[in-house]
């Protein structure tokens, strides 16, 4: 019995006249002779040639979607479209697939919307094969980048009693009987009776715990699932998504921006080098999709151009104040084309503003710094002006904000004062404040939404198509 070899390896080797065993799923079977076999290692299929006179009962079972094992000789192909093919000597059907019921028939090219309804099978299509191999490579590159720089990978808790962002939209974690929860004397739900003895939620961020690690190891990063209970059904929002959050001791805002830019360029460079075939397929898919749009809505750049563009351009750095001036005087603002008009300093930027700066004004990725304290989180370092904080957001074409970060406020008194202004419980966060009591130092960090990064790199239009099993309002299938 020959050792099983992956299709990708056979197609990338130019070797012929050797025996192999391949296993995979039938994509098509024509003329009772040629099987297109795919095993998920690449979008490309291996052509299997079977002998004339093969048993009719076996031929009948060679349907799209069936799992088979084939042993034979790799030979040079005489047909067009492939350099090599496999001449079958032994063929076994491992799992039958009823062609009448199998929903992924080539002839009816299913839409992305339809595939979301059968997300458990969509991995078997070329589009999703490419997307999830790229996602894998990006995740691998994330770990490689931080590992090369001596960062410690820290697993922060998924269940937490704190709300890092002050966002409020969190998923409750409880084992209490929802029909008759225990009550306190005042009639509130008594969480002392709950599993953890207090109210707990699914985390919105690992940052606060990450800072604790940075105060010991210097440089750490977290990479894990985070949860937001926003009732949002847009193409950019999920209730469960993955975040990459590095925290670095002895970093200021400048160091933070430099690391974030280097990081993004590293992971994009990695997939351009290692997933060229998948990216070319996705670029072709995107180009066809763009043709359906009206001229003015089409992207000026193809997918590969866009990735090279991010890789080869210095990110434009400017302050929030400078950005507000540009936006205030911009054509879409003056002609009231923006849905949210920019009238004064202090406005919270929407994705239409972020995209205008990136795509129309600078035509390159943008890092905005020094936002108004009023629209940013409590832990950000306050600037001398008393109005702004040392925040930085990285804005990307087609997507708006992809990274949000800041230098953290290391001054104990300033941090406590800010928490009190926002009515945040200092007692409950005393463990966090200890990092400012015992050996505080300047430090910084950022969060990058991994799923948005995958969205950008694959050129897909909907965030539900770049996570294996999307969790959105009213939807928790599989």
């Amino acid at each position: 019995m020959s050792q099983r070899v992956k299709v990708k390896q056979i197609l990338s080797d130019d070797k012929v006249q050797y025996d192999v065993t391949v296993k995979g799923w039938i994509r098509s079977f024509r003329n009772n002779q040629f099987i297109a076999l795919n095993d998920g290692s690449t979008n490309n299929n291996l052509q299997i040639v079977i002998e004339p006179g093969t048993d009719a009962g076996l031929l009948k079972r060679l349907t799209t979607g069936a799992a088979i094992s084939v042993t034979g000789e790799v030979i040079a192909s005489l047909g067009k479209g492939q350099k090599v093919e496999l001449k079958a000597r032994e063929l076994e059907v491992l799992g039958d697939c009823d062609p009448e019921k199998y929903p992924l028939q080539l002839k009816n090219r299913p839409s992305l919307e339809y595939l979301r309804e059968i997300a458990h099978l969509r991995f078997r299509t070329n589009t999703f094969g490419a997307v999830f191999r790229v996602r894998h490579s990006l995740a691998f590159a994330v770990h490689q980048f931080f590992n090369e720089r001596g960062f410690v990978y820290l697993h922060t808790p998924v269940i937490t009693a704190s709300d890092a962002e002050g966002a409020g939209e969190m998923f409750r974690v409880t084992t209490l009987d929802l029909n008759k929860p225990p009550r306190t004397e005042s009639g509130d739900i008594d969480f002392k009776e709950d599993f953890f003895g207090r109210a707990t939620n699914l985390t919105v961020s690992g940052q606060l715990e990450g800072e604790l690690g940075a105060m010991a190891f210097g440089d750490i990063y977290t990479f894990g699932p985070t949860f937001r209970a926003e009732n949002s059904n847009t193409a950019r929002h999920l209730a469960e998504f993955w975040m990459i959050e590095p925290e670095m001791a002895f970093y200021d805002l400048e160091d933070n921006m430099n690391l974030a830019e280097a990081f993004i360029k590293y992971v994009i460079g990695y997939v351009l080098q290692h997933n060229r075939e998948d990216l070319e397929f996705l670029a072709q898919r995107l180009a066809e999709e763009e043709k359906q749009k009206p001229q003015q809505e089409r992207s000026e750049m193809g997918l590969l151009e866009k990735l090279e563009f991010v890789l080869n351009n210095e990110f434009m750095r400017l302050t929030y104040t400078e950005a507000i001036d540009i936006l205030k005087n911009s054509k879409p603002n003056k002609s009231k084309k923006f849905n949210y008009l920019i009238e004064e300093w202090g406005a919270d930027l929407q994705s239409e503003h972020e995209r205008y700066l990136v795509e129309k004004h600078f035509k390159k990725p943008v890092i905005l710094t020094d936002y108004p304290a009023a629209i940013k989180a409590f832990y950000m370092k306050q600037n001398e002006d008393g109005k702004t904080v040392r925040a930085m957001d990285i804005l990307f074409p087609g997507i708006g904000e992809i990274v949000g970060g800041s230098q953290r406020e290391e001054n104990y008194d300033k941090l406590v004062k800010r928490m009190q202004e926002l009515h945040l419980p200092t007692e409950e966060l005393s463990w966090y404040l200890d990092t400012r009591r015992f050996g505080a130092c300047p430090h910084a960090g950022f969060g990058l939404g991994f799923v948005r990064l995958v969205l950008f790199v694959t050129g897909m239009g909907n965030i539900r198509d770049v996570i294996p099993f999307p969790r959105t309002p009213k939807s928790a299938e599989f």
Side-chain angles (χ1 to χ4, degrees), residues 244 246 253-265 268 309-310 313-318 349-351 353-355 357-358 364-371 376 380 391-406 445-449 452-453 456:
I244 298 151
L253 190 66
E254 187 77 16
D255 301 323
N256 202 25
M257 291 192 281
N258 293 342
L259 183 82
E261 184 169 341
F263 168 63
I264 289 170
K265 288 180 171 178
I268 288 176
F309 167 82
V310 169
N313 271 299
E314 291 295 309
F315 293 7
M316 183 71 203
R317 299 180 183 193
L318 69 155
L349 299 186
Q350 305 296 321
S351 100
H353 308 132
E354 295 168 340
R355 289 182 61 181
L357 291 168
V358 175
K364 56 166 74 175
V366 168
I367 310 184
L368 284 190
T369 64
D370 302 291
Y371 280 78
K376 287 293 180 184
M380 297 188 176
M392 68 104 178
D393 286 354
I394 300 184
L395 316 177
F396 260 29
I399 225 160
E401 184 201 327
I402 197 163
V403 165
S406 71
F446 62 84
L448 179 141
R452 280 197 180 178
L453 177 69
F456 178 77

Side-chain angles (χ1 to χ4, degrees), residues 261-326:
E261 184 169 341
F263 168 63
I264 289 170
K265 288 180 171 178
Y266 182 97
V267 296
I268 288 176
Y270 184 91
V271 291
L272 277 167
Q273 188 185 341
H274 292 89
N275 292 74
R276 197 81 197 180
E277 185 183 283
D278 288 324
L279 289 173
E280 282 168 0
F281 172 84
L282 291 166
Q284 184 61 41
R285 187 207 72 81
L286 182 60
E288 283 171 27
E289 198 178 69
E290 288 279 312
K291 279 182 202 158
Q292 315 302 317
K293 292 182 185 172
Q295 189 67 45
Q296 70 275 15
E297 284 176 35
R298 291 182 198 173
S299 174
E300 288 171 26
M301 279 186 264
L303 180 62
L304 291 166
E305 280 175 277
K306 199 169 64 172
L307 298 177
E308 299 279 1
F309 167 82
V310 169
L311 210 55
N312 301 324
N313 271 299
E314 291 295 309
F315 293 7
M316 183 71 203
R317 299 180 183 193
L318 69 155
T319 66
Y320 165 90
T321 304
E322 290 166 330
I324 284 290
D325 285 342
I326 292 167

Side-chain angles (χ1 to χ4, degrees), residues 52 75 116 147 152 157 164 168 173 208 239-240 244 251 268 302 331 354 388 391-392 400 403 453 459-460:
I75 58 170
R116 265 172 235 141
N147 190 56
V152 169
V173 175
L208 302 189
E240 174 188 86
I244 298 151
Y251 265 50
I268 288 176
K331 224 189 230 161
E354 295 168 340
T388 60
M392 68 104 178
V403 165
L453 177 69
M460 299 299 281

Side-chain angles (χ1 to χ4, degrees), residues 232 234 237 320 323-324 326-344 346-356:
S232 177
T234 76
H237 284 90
Y320 165 90
I324 284 290
I326 292 167
L327 290 165
K328 233 158 97 176
N329 297 309
S330 69
K331 224 189 230 161
N333 201 57
K334 285 183 165 170
S335 59
K336 301 196 169 8
K337 290 270 166 61
F338 281 144
N339 293 321
Y340 297 88
L341 295 179
I342 298 288
E343 282 161 3
E344 57 191 35
D348 206 348
L349 299 186
Q350 305 296 321
S351 100
E352 60 178 345
H353 308 132
E354 295 168 340
R355 289 182 61 181
Y356 173 81

Side-chain angles (χ1 to χ4, degrees), residues 1-25 37-42 44-48 68-74 84-86 94:
M1 169 85 181
S2 310
Q3 178 112 19
R4 180 192 167 205
V5 179
K6 298 242 174 134
V7 166
K8 185 175 184 177
Q9 191 182 327
I10 295 169
L11 296 178
S12 56
D13 285 348
D14 280 338
K15 287 196 309 185
V16 288
Q17 289 169 331
Y18 64 103
D19 277 13
V20 290
T21 295
V22 290
K23 296 181 184 188
W25 297 270
L37 184 85
N38 191 280
D39 66 359
S41 59
T42 167
N44 297 319
N45 304 319
L46 176 65
Q47 179 159 289
I48 312 281
I68 60 171
S69 169
V70 186
T71 301
E73 186 186 6
V74 176
V84 296
E85 58 193 23
L86 183 65
L94 303 174

Side-chain angles (χ1 to χ4, degrees), residues 176 181-194:
L176 295 177
R183 302 275 178 184
T184 61
E185 284 177 13
S186 60
D188 295 326
I189 290 174
D190 186 2
F191 285 104
K192 286 201 173 85
E193 299 287 311
D194 207 347

Side-chain angles (χ1 to χ4, degrees), residues 13 25 34 45 135 195 209 292 312 391 396 433 471 478:
D13 285 348
W25 297 270
F34 302 109
N45 304 319
R135 186 182 165 113
F195 187 89
E209 293 90 349
Q292 315 302 317
N312 301 324
F396 260 29
L433 289 168
R471 297 287 175 253
F478 321 110

